[in-house]
Amino acid sequence: RLTLCGFSTAAASLLPRAARAVADDHPGTVVRIVEADPVECFDLLLAERADLAVVVATEATPPRSDRRFEQHPLGEDPLDLLVPTDHPLAGRASVALAEAAGEPWIMDRPGRPHHRLVAGACLAAGFTPEAAHEAVEWDTGAALVHAGLGVALVPQLANLPAVYDIVRVPLTGDPRPARHLLGVTRTGARAHPRVATALAAMGAST
């Protein structure tokens, strides 16, 4: 048995890939996926209720020096600008974040990691975003963009409903905000063949 846990985007994208790789390489293994926020993921690892977690690195993430865990970088998840299909920026191959300075913004709730990431990126681009609406789920944010109520920054890993008339526009220049993803295990667990297979499937580095 192998239990994988991760935040919503990872549970929908990275963890199924890891589960399939383990099932293919280790026949007979029962793989279980648990969706959980990053803080809960560390608790699940410590309670031995999960063997591998995928989290976003934030200020709440334990430091790499924490001997209870091994943290394996999985790469970046860049943010795209999400606009309606009839928006002036929708036809662009890429856009600088500052070009959206005058737009109404659909933001996460204040204090949450994605809100801090977006607000910090906008400040680095030279403006304070006008938070016209608050949405926690990507689907909700996409619906508001579809309705022409504002623009948003969404991770490339986020799966958005195809029914909405929205366009992802990659960011160019500086800043180019991204989420930093980590695969986390209890110390020494990477040597387990099933854990190693799952990490390799997600592109983990040491």
Side-chain angles (χ1 to χ4, degrees):
R1 178 180 296 275
L2 185 74
T3 300
L4 313 175
C5 64
F7 63 100
S8 59
T9 310
S13 54
L14 296 177
L15 294 186
R17 184 193 313 169
R20 175 49 54 194
V22 172
D24 290 344
D25 290 358
H26 305 278
T29 301
V30 176
V31 183
R32 182 169 180 258
I33 293 176
V34 177
E35 182 179 346
D37 64 47
V39 173
E40 186 180 5
C41 284
F42 284 96
D43 292 339
L44 290 172
L45 288 171
L46 286 176
E48 298 188 3
R49 293 170 55 200
D51 305 294
L52 170 62
V54 177
V55 304
V56 176
T58 69
E59 64 272 13
T61 306
R64 294 286 292 271
S65 59
D66 190 323
R67 295 178 180 273
R68 297 173 298 174
F69 306 106
E70 292 178 0
Q71 300 183 34
H72 315 280
L74 298 177
E76 293 186 345
D77 183 14
L79 305 187
D80 292 332
L81 182 68
L82 192 66
V83 299
T85 53
D86 59 355
H87 192 279
L89 298 176
R92 296 274 296 276
S94 62
V95 62
L97 182 56
E99 295 182 71
E103 302 285 344
W105 280 80
I106 297 156
M107 306 275 289
D108 200 347
R109 301 290 298 277
R112 289 170 57 89
H114 189 68
H115 183 279
R116 291 193 293 269
L117 177 59
V118 172
C122 291
L123 288 174
F127 70 96
T128 299
E130 175 201 346
H133 306 279
E134 296 179 2
V136 174
E137 301 295 335
W138 306 126
D139 287 11
T140 305
L144 298 181
V145 173
H146 164 78
L149 299 178
V151 302
L153 289 183
V154 296
Q156 290 183 359
L157 282 179
N159 294 316
L160 303 179
V163 297
Y164 294 142
D165 294 324
I166 52 178
V167 176
R168 296 174 184 258
V169 185
L171 295 177
T172 188
D174 188 24
R176 297 179 65 186
R179 304 190 301 180
H180 299 274
L181 307 183
L182 299 170
V184 185
T185 62
R186 291 183 296 277
T187 298
R190 181 169 187 157
H192 192 290
R194 292 170 178 79
V195 172
T197 296
L199 283 168
M202 295 187 293
S205 59
T206 55

